[in-house]
Amino acid sequence: VTGAAGERNKAALLSREFKVPPPVVTLAAGIPTFVRNGLPVQIVPGLTVSGSRVGGGTLVVVINSVKTGNVQLDVLDDRGLNVLGTVTRSSTSGKRITTVALHSATTAEEIQAALRTLTFSTSKAGLRFTNRQVRIQLTDHAGRVGEVVLQSVYVRRATSSLG
């Protein structure tokens, strides 16, 4: 930064606010469908993650889930997130919450790869509920919060037959 006379203006350079956008998580088109007795379905197979300085931030994945008494019927396989940092899992009010305190060196590409491994399945009474909602939010190391991304997952009791 230089002044009107062309001299270097160190104070202006030091006071200039550099804006870094928050991280961005983008979903691909399509809604995954879990079918009774089928293999677990990938929740966000085409998801992309962009942003610099995500290492040291936080990733939160929330899914509304079905349980009967103390038996959890829905299965969110999120073990792929373990490589990203310190993982905390909790449940409250019909939701399963996975929070990852990201390692300082974690990159957007690593987060993208880990999120693409998320799978969902359910059984028994869980099949009666036809939709789940997955919420993903990424915050970078400076606390810049990305927009919440919502992904539906459909549940069907049986495959449809054509003809």
Side-chain angles (χ1 to χ4, degrees):
V1 176
T2 58
E7 77 283 1
R8 292 186 133 205
N9 188 338
K10 186 176 180 182
L13 179 62
L14 292 175
S15 67
R16 184 175 179 184
E17 185 178 332
F18 292 95
K19 296 200 179 214
V20 177
V24 176
V25 177
T26 306
L27 296 173
I31 298 175
T33 301
F34 174 78
V35 180
R36 178 183 185 169
N37 299 326
L39 294 173
V41 59
Q42 274 186 287
I43 296 173
V44 287
L47 166 137
T48 59
V49 176
S50 62
S52 59
R53 304 177 182 158
V54 291
T58 305
L59 173 66
V60 179
V61 178
V62 179
I63 185 169
N64 61 319
S65 60
V66 177
K67 69 180 194 174
T68 302
N70 290 331
V71 178
Q72 183 67 45
L73 301 174
D74 289 351
V75 177
L76 172 66
D77 185 350
D78 61 4
R79 292 174 291 175
L81 301 180
N82 292 343
V83 300
L84 299 176
T86 304
V87 179
T88 305
R89 293 174 180 88
S90 61
S91 296
T92 181
S93 303
K95 295 181 182 179
R96 180 157 184 264
I97 304 161
T98 303
T99 304
V100 184
L102 300 168
H103 294 304
S104 61
T106 300
T107 66
E109 293 79 15
E110 291 168 328
I111 296 167
Q112 175 179 296
L115 284 170
R116 287 181 177 184
T117 69
L118 293 174
T119 61
F120 170 83
S121 62
T122 192
S123 62
K124 301 178 184 175
L127 295 164
R128 286 186 273 176
F129 300 89
T130 59
N131 189 25
R132 305 300 188 282
Q133 192 82 321
V134 179
R135 176 185 181 269
I136 300 170
Q137 189 164 40
L138 180 59
T139 303
D140 72 10
H141 79 287
R144 287 180 285 269
V145 180
E147 290 189 28
V148 172
V149 173
L150 297 174
Q151 173 67 58
S152 290
V153 178
Y154 292 145
V155 175
R156 291 198 343 230
R157 289 184 176 191
T159 59
S160 61
S161 59
L162 300 175

Tab-separated table of all heavy atoms in Angstrom, residues 95-145:
chain	number	residue	atom	x	y	z
A	95	LYS	N	-31.835	-36.732	17.696
A	95	LYS	CA	-30.743	-36.346	16.798
A	95	LYS	C	-29.456	-36.993	17.242
A	95	LYS	O	-29.191	-37.136	18.425
A	95	LYS	CB	-30.566	-34.830	16.792
A	95	LYS	CG	-31.732	-34.109	16.220
A	95	LYS	CD	-31.486	-32.634	16.230
A	95	LYS	CE	-32.657	-31.997	15.703
A	95	LYS	NZ	-33.239	-31.059	15.412
A	96	ARG	N	-28.668	-37.380	16.273
A	96	ARG	CA	-27.327	-37.885	16.540
A	96	ARG	C	-26.357	-36.840	16.041
A	96	ARG	O	-26.448	-36.398	14.901
A	96	ARG	CB	-27.102	-39.205	15.822
A	96	ARG	CG	-25.723	-39.749	16.083
A	96	ARG	CD	-25.676	-41.247	15.880
A	96	ARG	NE	-24.363	-41.714	16.225
A	96	ARG	CZ	-23.391	-41.907	15.335
A	96	ARG	NH1	-23.606	-41.693	14.075
A	96	ARG	NH2	-22.206	-42.332	15.723
A	97	ILE	N	-25.451	-36.411	16.912
A	97	ILE	CA	-24.544	-35.304	16.604
A	97	ILE	C	-23.103	-35.797	16.648
A	97	ILE	O	-22.671	-36.380	17.634
A	97	ILE	CB	-24.727	-34.158	17.618
A	97	ILE	CG1	-26.192	-33.718	17.641
A	97	ILE	CG2	-23.793	-32.990	17.309
A	97	ILE	CD1	-26.583	-32.948	18.880
A	98	THR	N	-22.387	-35.541	15.564
A	98	THR	CA	-20.961	-35.846	15.509
A	98	THR	C	-20.224	-34.523	15.335
A	98	THR	O	-20.468	-33.798	14.377
A	98	THR	CB	-20.635	-36.785	14.331
A	98	THR	OG1	-21.408	-37.974	14.447
A	98	THR	CG2	-19.158	-37.131	14.306
A	99	THR	N	-19.340	-34.220	16.276
A	99	THR	CA	-18.557	-32.986	16.222
A	99	THR	C	-17.088	-33.362	16.106
A	99	THR	O	-16.596	-34.188	16.876
A	99	THR	CB	-18.786	-32.144	17.493
A	99	THR	OG1	-20.185	-31.890	17.626
A	99	THR	CG2	-18.036	-30.827	17.425
A	100	VAL	N	-16.407	-32.747	15.148
A	100	VAL	CA	-14.984	-33.020	14.943
A	100	VAL	C	-14.203	-31.725	15.156
A	100	VAL	O	-14.417	-30.748	14.437
A	100	VAL	CB	-14.695	-33.565	13.529
A	100	VAL	CG1	-13.221	-33.934	13.390
A	100	VAL	CG2	-15.597	-34.744	13.191
A	101	ALA	N	-13.315	-31.721	16.158
A	101	ALA	CA	-12.357	-30.632	16.333
A	101	ALA	C	-11.198	-30.969	15.400
A	101	ALA	O	-10.423	-31.892	15.652
A	101	ALA	CB	-11.900	-30.547	17.781
A	102	LEU	N	-11.120	-30.264	14.281
A	102	LEU	CA	-10.180	-30.610	13.212
A	102	LEU	C	-8.723	-30.373	13.620
A	102	LEU	O	-8.412	-29.375	14.272
A	102	LEU	CB	-10.503	-29.783	11.967
A	102	LEU	CG	-11.915	-29.974	11.394
A	102	LEU	CD1	-12.214	-28.900	10.358
A	102	LEU	CD2	-12.061	-31.359	10.803
A	103	HIS	N	-7.849	-31.316	13.201
A	103	HIS	CA	-6.409	-31.117	13.389
A	103	HIS	C	-6.004	-29.835	12.664
A	103	HIS	O	-6.605	-29.460	11.647
A	103	HIS	CB	-5.610	-32.282	12.789
A	103	HIS	CG	-5.816	-33.591	13.460
A	103	HIS	ND1	-5.618	-33.804	14.801
A	103	HIS	CD2	-6.205	-34.792	12.944
A	103	HIS	CE1	-5.859	-35.059	15.095
A	103	HIS	NE2	-6.235	-35.688	13.989
A	104	SER	N	-4.970	-29.185	13.115
A	104	SER	CA	-4.549	-27.916	12.519
A	104	SER	C	-4.117	-28.065	11.057
A	104	SER	O	-4.216	-27.116	10.288
A	104	SER	CB	-3.423	-27.289	13.337
A	104	SER	OG	-2.310	-28.146	13.365
A	105	ALA	N	-3.659	-29.239	10.670
A	105	ALA	CA	-3.193	-29.435	9.295
A	105	ALA	C	-4.264	-30.014	8.366
A	105	ALA	O	-4.003	-30.248	7.188
A	105	ALA	CB	-1.974	-30.361	9.301
A	106	THR	N	-5.475	-30.216	8.850
A	106	THR	CA	-6.541	-30.798	8.034
A	106	THR	C	-6.883	-29.867	6.874
A	106	THR	O	-7.004	-28.657	7.050
A	106	THR	CB	-7.803	-31.047	8.890
A	106	THR	OG1	-7.474	-31.947	9.940
A	106	THR	CG2	-8.915	-31.654	8.064
A	107	THR	N	-7.050	-30.451	5.689
A	107	THR	CA	-7.358	-29.663	4.487
A	107	THR	C	-8.806	-29.877	4.057
A	107	THR	O	-9.465	-30.842	4.470
A	107	THR	CB	-6.448	-30.081	3.318
A	107	THR	OG1	-6.761	-31.437	2.953
A	107	THR	CG2	-4.967	-29.954	3.673
A	108	ALA	N	-9.277	-28.985	3.186
A	108	ALA	CA	-10.627	-29.105	2.631
A	108	ALA	C	-10.771	-30.418	1.863
A	108	ALA	O	-11.816	-31.074	1.929
A	108	ALA	CB	-10.932	-27.914	1.724
A	109	GLU	N	-9.726	-30.821	1.160
A	109	GLU	CA	-9.762	-32.066	0.394
A	109	GLU	C	-9.935	-33.277	1.311
A	109	GLU	O	-10.657	-34.222	0.987
A	109	GLU	CB	-8.494	-32.213	-0.456
A	109	GLU	CG	-8.367	-31.195	-1.570
A	109	GLU	CD	-7.875	-29.814	-1.101
A	109	GLU	OE1	-7.359	-29.690	0.040
A	109	GLU	OE2	-8.034	-28.852	-1.877
A	110	GLU	N	-9.270	-33.261	2.456
A	110	GLU	CA	-9.404	-34.372	3.408
A	110	GLU	C	-10.804	-34.411	4.020
A	110	GLU	O	-11.372	-35.489	4.208
A	110	GLU	CB	-8.353	-34.237	4.517
A	110	GLU	CG	-6.938	-34.467	4.020
A	110	GLU	CD	-5.883	-34.056	5.032
A	110	GLU	OE1	-6.095	-33.101	5.816
A	110	GLU	OE2	-4.811	-34.703	5.030
A	111	ILE	N	-11.361	-33.249	4.300
A	111	ILE	CA	-12.727	-33.189	4.832
A	111	ILE	C	-13.703	-33.723	3.794
A	111	ILE	O	-14.596	-34.509	4.107
A	111	ILE	CB	-13.087	-31.746	5.254
A	111	ILE	CG1	-12.184	-31.293	6.402
A	111	ILE	CG2	-14.566	-31.643	5.632
A	111	ILE	CD1	-12.244	-29.807	6.685
A	112	GLN	N	-13.527	-33.309	2.560
A	112	GLN	CA	-14.382	-33.782	1.468
A	112	GLN	C	-14.331	-35.308	1.362
A	112	GLN	O	-15.376	-35.972	1.304
A	112	GLN	CB	-13.926	-33.147	0.155
A	112	GLN	CG	-14.658	-33.660	-1.071
A	112	GLN	CD	-14.171	-32.958	-2.319
A	112	GLN	OE1	-14.355	-31.750	-2.446
A	112	GLN	NE2	-13.554	-33.693	-3.224
A	113	ALA	N	-13.141	-35.870	1.350
A	113	ALA	CA	-12.996	-37.330	1.237
A	113	ALA	C	-13.651	-38.047	2.416
A	113	ALA	O	-14.335	-39.064	2.241
A	113	ALA	CB	-11.516	-37.697	1.140
A	114	ALA	N	-13.473	-37.513	3.612
A	114	ALA	CA	-14.049	-38.151	4.800
A	114	ALA	C	-15.577	-38.066	4.794
A	114	ALA	O	-16.266	-39.047	5.112
A	114	ALA	CB	-13.484	-37.520	6.068
A	115	LEU	N	-16.128	-36.910	4.426
A	115	LEU	CA	-17.583	-36.765	4.388
A	115	LEU	C	-18.220	-37.691	3.352
A	115	LEU	O	-19.322	-38.195	3.552
A	115	LEU	CB	-17.979	-35.310	4.118
A	115	LEU	CG	-17.828	-34.360	5.298
A	115	LEU	CD1	-18.005	-32.909	4.847
A	115	LEU	CD2	-18.821	-34.698	6.404
A	116	ARG	N	-17.514	-37.924	2.260
A	116	ARG	CA	-18.053	-38.812	1.226
A	116	ARG	C	-18.171	-40.262	1.701
A	116	ARG	O	-18.851	-41.063	1.076
A	116	ARG	CB	-17.197	-38.742	-0.034
A	116	ARG	CG	-17.382	-37.445	-0.790
A	116	ARG	CD	-16.537	-37.418	-2.032
A	116	ARG	NE	-16.762	-36.205	-2.812
A	116	ARG	CZ	-16.198	-35.976	-3.982
A	116	ARG	NH1	-15.364	-36.850	-4.509
A	116	ARG	NH2	-16.451	-34.843	-4.618
A	117	THR	N	-17.517	-40.605	2.803
A	117	THR	CA	-17.611	-41.971	3.328
A	117	THR	C	-18.816	-42.177	4.237
A	117	THR	O	-19.095	-43.305	4.638
A	117	THR	CB	-16.343	-42.377	4.112
A	117	THR	OG1	-16.269	-41.619	5.329
A	117	THR	CG2	-15.082	-42.183	3.279
A	118	LEU	N	-19.533	-41.106	4.607
A	118	LEU	CA	-20.692	-41.238	5.494
A	118	LEU	C	-21.754	-42.143	4.858
A	118	LEU	O	-22.127	-41.941	3.708
A	118	LEU	CB	-21.339	-39.876	5.759
A	118	LEU	CG	-20.552	-38.855	6.554
A	118	LEU	CD1	-21.307	-37.529	6.580
A	118	LEU	CD2	-20.289	-39.350	7.957
A	119	THR	N	-22.237	-43.131	5.636
A	119	THR	CA	-23.309	-43.989	5.134
A	119	THR	C	-24.440	-44.063	6.158
A	119	THR	O	-24.246	-43.828	7.345
A	119	THR	CB	-22.824	-45.415	4.812
A	119	THR	OG1	-22.330	-46.025	6.008
A	119	THR	CG2	-21.771	-45.420	3.721
A	120	PHE	N	-25.625	-44.429	5.646
A	120	PHE	CA	-26.826	-44.539	6.469
A	120	PHE	C	-27.522	-45.864	6.195
A	120	PHE	O	-27.581	-46.325	5.061
A	120	PHE	CB	-27.801	-43.399	6.140
A	120	PHE	CG	-29.151	-43.588	6.763
A	120	PHE	CD1	-29.386	-43.214	8.068
A	120	PHE	CD2	-30.177	-44.178	6.039
A	120	PHE	CE1	-30.628	-43.421	8.651
A	120	PHE	CE2	-31.424	-44.384	6.615
A	120	PHE	CZ	-31.652	-44.002	7.921
A	121	SER	N	-28.061	-46.445	7.264
A	121	SER	CA	-28.943	-47.605	7.136
A	121	SER	C	-29.893	-47.605	8.328
A	121	SER	O	-29.664	-46.910	9.319
A	121	SER	CB	-28.145	-48.911	7.068
A	121	SER	OG	-27.403	-49.093	8.256
A	122	THR	N	-30.955	-48.374	8.219
A	122	THR	CA	-31.909	-48.495	9.322
A	122	THR	C	-32.556	-49.872	9.252
A	122	THR	O	-32.355	-50.615	8.295
A	122	THR	CB	-32.974	-47.370	9.286
A	122	THR	OG1	-33.686	-47.382	10.524
A	122	THR	CG2	-33.934	-47.528	8.118
A	123	SER	N	-33.324	-50.194	10.285
A	123	SER	CA	-33.989	-51.497	10.322
A	123	SER	C	-35.260	-51.409	11.146
A	123	SER	O	-35.515	-50.405	11.811
A	123	SER	CB	-33.052	-52.551	10.929
A	123	SER	OG	-32.737	-52.190	12.264
A	124	LYS	N	-36.035	-52.461	11.098
A	124	LYS	CA	-37.248	-52.622	11.905
A	124	LYS	C	-38.150	-51.397	11.821
A	124	LYS	O	-38.520	-50.968	10.745
A	124	LYS	CB	-36.887	-52.986	13.337
A	124	LYS	CG	-36.085	-54.278	13.427
A	124	LYS	CD	-35.708	-54.595	14.841
A	124	LYS	CE	-34.833	-55.847	14.849
A	124	LYS	NZ	-34.332	-56.151	16.149
A	125	ALA	N	-38.515	-50.830	12.968
A	125	ALA	CA	-39.440	-49.689	12.993
A	125	ALA	C	-38.860	-48.458	12.307
A	125	ALA	O	-39.607	-47.565	11.903
A	125	ALA	CB	-39.828	-49.359	14.427
A	126	GLY	N	-37.555	-48.399	12.140
A	126	GLY	CA	-36.939	-47.274	11.441
A	126	GLY	C	-37.391	-47.163	10.001
A	126	GLY	O	-37.354	-46.091	9.403
A	127	LEU	N	-37.860	-48.282	9.438
A	127	LEU	CA	-38.326	-48.282	8.054
A	127	LEU	C	-39.656	-47.553	7.888
A	127	LEU	O	-40.036	-47.198	6.787
A	127	LEU	CB	-38.449	-49.720	7.542
A	127	LEU	CG	-37.121	-50.468	7.454
A	127	LEU	CD1	-37.352	-51.962	7.333
A	127	LEU	CD2	-36.290	-49.942	6.301
A	128	ARG	N	-40.383	-47.343	8.972
A	128	ARG	CA	-41.677	-46.656	8.898
A	128	ARG	C	-41.534	-45.156	8.662
A	128	ARG	O	-42.483	-44.496	8.264
A	128	ARG	CB	-42.479	-46.893	10.177
A	128	ARG	CG	-43.041	-48.301	10.242
A	128	ARG	CD	-43.938	-48.434	11.431
A	128	ARG	NE	-43.072	-48.802	12.550
A	128	ARG	CZ	-43.457	-48.936	13.792
A	128	ARG	NH1	-44.694	-48.690	14.124
A	128	ARG	NH2	-42.614	-49.289	14.729
A	129	PHE	N	-40.365	-44.624	8.940
A	129	PHE	CA	-40.129	-43.197	8.755
A	129	PHE	C	-39.368	-43.016	7.443
A	129	PHE	O	-38.260	-43.516	7.289
A	129	PHE	CB	-39.343	-42.643	9.942
A	129	PHE	CG	-40.071	-42.824	11.246
A	129	PHE	CD1	-39.894	-43.977	11.993
A	129	PHE	CD2	-40.964	-41.862	11.683
A	129	PHE	CE1	-40.578	-44.170	13.186
A	129	PHE	CE2	-41.659	-42.038	12.871
A	129	PHE	CZ	-41.469	-43.197	13.622
A	130	THR	N	-39.972	-42.307	6.499
A	130	THR	CA	-39.484	-42.311	5.121
A	130	THR	C	-38.416	-41.273	4.796
A	130	THR	O	-37.943	-41.237	3.668
A	130	THR	CB	-40.660	-42.103	4.154
A	130	THR	OG1	-41.281	-40.849	4.466
A	130	THR	CG2	-41.660	-43.230	4.271
A	131	ASN	N	-38.062	-40.435	5.741
A	131	ASN	CA	-37.097	-39.394	5.418
A	131	ASN	C	-36.228	-39.076	6.629
A	131	ASN	O	-36.702	-39.055	7.756
A	131	ASN	CB	-37.842	-38.125	4.969
A	131	ASN	CG	-36.926	-37.063	4.414
A	131	ASN	OD1	-35.847	-37.353	3.921
A	131	ASN	ND2	-37.349	-35.825	4.502
A	132	ARG	N	-34.953	-38.860	6.386
A	132	ARG	CA	-34.033	-38.364	7.395
A	132	ARG	C	-33.402	-37.093	6.835
A	132	ARG	O	-33.277	-36.930	5.630
A	132	ARG	CB	-32.908	-39.359	7.725
A	132	ARG	CG	-33.350	-40.739	8.151
A	132	ARG	CD	-34.207	-40.744	9.401
A	132	ARG	NE	-34.436	-42.091	9.872
A	132	ARG	CZ	-35.305	-42.947	9.362
A	132	ARG	NH1	-36.047	-42.606	8.329
A	132	ARG	NH2	-35.447	-44.153	9.859
A	133	GLN	N	-32.977	-36.243	7.718
A	133	GLN	CA	-32.312	-35.005	7.317
A	133	GLN	C	-30.917	-34.995	7.931
A	133	GLN	O	-30.770	-35.193	9.135
A	133	GLN	CB	-33.124	-33.806	7.806
A	133	GLN	CG	-32.706	-32.494	7.230
A	133	GLN	CD	-33.291	-32.254	5.857
A	133	GLN	OE1	-33.389	-33.148	5.051
A	133	GLN	NE2	-33.668	-31.043	5.577
A	134	VAL	N	-29.915	-34.774	7.103
A	134	VAL	CA	-28.538	-34.669	7.565
A	134	VAL	C	-28.109	-33.212	7.402
A	134	VAL	O	-28.303	-32.611	6.347
A	134	VAL	CB	-27.598	-35.595	6.766
A	134	VAL	CG1	-26.166	-35.454	7.243
A	134	VAL	CG2	-28.065	-37.038	6.867
A	135	ARG	N	-27.535	-32.672	8.468
A	135	ARG	CA	-27.093	-31.277	8.493
A	135	ARG	C	-25.580	-31.266	8.656
A	135	ARG	O	-25.048	-31.918	9.561
A	135	ARG	CB	-27.761	-30.582	9.683
A	135	ARG	CG	-27.356	-29.171	9.933
A	135	ARG	CD	-28.041	-28.706	11.237
A	135	ARG	NE	-27.730	-27.343	11.555
A	135	ARG	CZ	-26.722	-26.958	12.313
A	135	ARG	NH1	-25.901	-27.825	12.834
A	135	ARG	NH2	-26.521	-25.684	12.547
A	136	ILE	N	-24.894	-30.531	7.780
A	136	ILE	CA	-23.436	-30.449	7.825
A	136	ILE	C	-23.040	-28.978	7.898
A	136	ILE	O	-23.541	-28.158	7.122
A	136	ILE	CB	-22.800	-31.103	6.580
A	136	ILE	CG1	-23.190	-32.584	6.502
A	136	ILE	CG2	-21.283	-30.927	6.592
A	136	ILE	CD1	-22.811	-33.247	5.201
A	137	GLN	N	-22.140	-28.663	8.840
A	137	GLN	CA	-21.641	-27.296	8.941
A	137	GLN	C	-20.150	-27.321	9.268
A	137	GLN	O	-19.706	-28.085	10.131
A	137	GLN	CB	-22.396	-26.506	10.001
A	137	GLN	CG	-22.040	-25.032	9.982
A	137	GLN	CD	-23.045	-24.195	10.734
A	137	GLN	OE1	-23.528	-24.588	11.778
A	137	GLN	NE2	-23.359	-23.032	10.195
A	138	LEU	N	-19.408	-26.490	8.566
A	138	LEU	CA	-17.959	-26.417	8.715
A	138	LEU	C	-17.575	-25.001	9.134
A	138	LEU	O	-18.040	-24.022	8.560
A	138	LEU	CB	-17.294	-26.776	7.382
A	138	LEU	CG	-15.786	-26.769	7.304
A	138	LEU	CD1	-15.161	-27.737	8.304
A	138	LEU	CD2	-15.345	-27.130	5.882
A	139	THR	N	-16.732	-24.915	10.155
A	139	THR	CA	-16.220	-23.638	10.651
A	139	THR	C	-14.700	-23.676	10.539
A	139	THR	O	-14.085	-24.681	10.894
A	139	THR	CB	-16.633	-23.434	12.129
A	139	THR	OG1	-18.049	-23.516	12.217
A	139	THR	CG2	-16.166	-22.102	12.656
A	140	ASP	N	-14.093	-22.603	10.036
A	140	ASP	CA	-12.634	-22.615	9.903
A	140	ASP	C	-11.950	-22.235	11.210
A	140	ASP	O	-12.607	-21.964	12.218
A	140	ASP	CB	-12.173	-21.744	8.728
A	140	ASP	CG	-12.308	-20.249	8.957
A	140	ASP	OD1	-12.590	-19.809	10.088
A	140	ASP	OD2	-12.124	-19.495	7.975
A	141	HIS	N	-10.621	-22.199	11.191
A	141	HIS	CA	-9.842	-21.974	12.419
A	141	HIS	C	-10.100	-20.610	13.053
A	141	HIS	O	-9.911	-20.425	14.247
A	141	HIS	CB	-8.347	-22.147	12.130
A	141	HIS	CG	-7.733	-20.943	11.473
A	141	HIS	ND1	-7.976	-20.613	10.157
A	141	HIS	CD2	-6.930	-19.983	11.971
A	141	HIS	CE1	-7.321	-19.503	9.863
A	141	HIS	NE2	-6.674	-19.104	10.935
A	142	ALA	N	-10.534	-19.648	12.248
A	142	ALA	CA	-10.768	-18.297	12.766
A	142	ALA	C	-12.219	-18.090	13.204
A	142	ALA	O	-12.605	-16.984	13.565
A	142	ALA	CB	-10.395	-17.265	11.701
A	143	GLY	N	-13.012	-19.160	13.146
A	143	GLY	CA	-14.403	-19.047	13.572
A	143	GLY	C	-15.361	-18.614	12.487
A	143	GLY	O	-16.530	-18.345	12.755
A	144	ARG	N	-14.888	-18.529	11.235
A	144	ARG	CA	-15.785	-18.190	10.131
A	144	ARG	C	-16.661	-19.403	9.848
A	144	ARG	O	-16.155	-20.472	9.526
A	144	ARG	CB	-14.986	-17.773	8.894
A	144	ARG	CG	-14.357	-16.390	9.029
A	144	ARG	CD	-13.569	-16.025	7.779
A	144	ARG	NE	-12.317	-16.751	7.737
A	144	ARG	CZ	-11.167	-16.314	8.248
A	144	ARG	NH1	-11.110	-15.142	8.835
A	144	ARG	NH2	-10.074	-17.038	8.166
A	145	VAL	N	-17.966	-19.213	9.967
A	145	VAL	CA	-18.920	-20.310	9.878
A	145	VAL	C	-19.475	-20.400	8.460
A	145	VAL	O	-20.016	-19.426	7.933
A	145	VAL	CB	-20.082	-20.096	10.876
A	145	VAL	CG1	-21.081	-21.234	10.792
A	145	VAL	CG2	-19.533	-19.940	12.289
